[in-house]
Amino acid sequence: MNHGDLHPPHILVDETQRVTGLIDWTEAEVADPGKDFVIYYALFGEEGLRDLLR
């Protein structure tokens, strides 16, 4: 499953900057979840993607 529209406004974080959830699943589909991270990588580069995944 992939979110389909993964970008910062759809990512919930707590006060320690830990990801706590994702919102707006209207474009979700059964597909390769890696598709979500390609967009994030394009926006924030390798370091930004590592931070998200950490």
Side-chain angles (χ1 to χ4, degrees):
M1 180 119 202
N2 74 346
H3 184 273
D5 192 18
L6 187 63
H7 65 283
H10 293 163
I11 302 170
L12 302 174
V13 296
D14 66 13
E15 61 279 348
T16 65
Q17 297 186 357
R18 275 191 78 188
V19 174
T20 59
L22 303 173
I23 60 171
D24 190 2
W25 286 82
T26 57
E27 297 182 36
E29 63 182 347
V30 176
D32 181 354
K35 287 173 58 177
D36 282 330
F37 299 112
V38 169
I39 295 167
Y40 202 90
Y41 179 82
L43 290 171
F44 301 102
E46 187 174 336
E47 186 175 338
L49 180 58
R50 274 197 208 131
D51 289 342
L52 173 67
L53 295 174
R54 196 171 316 125

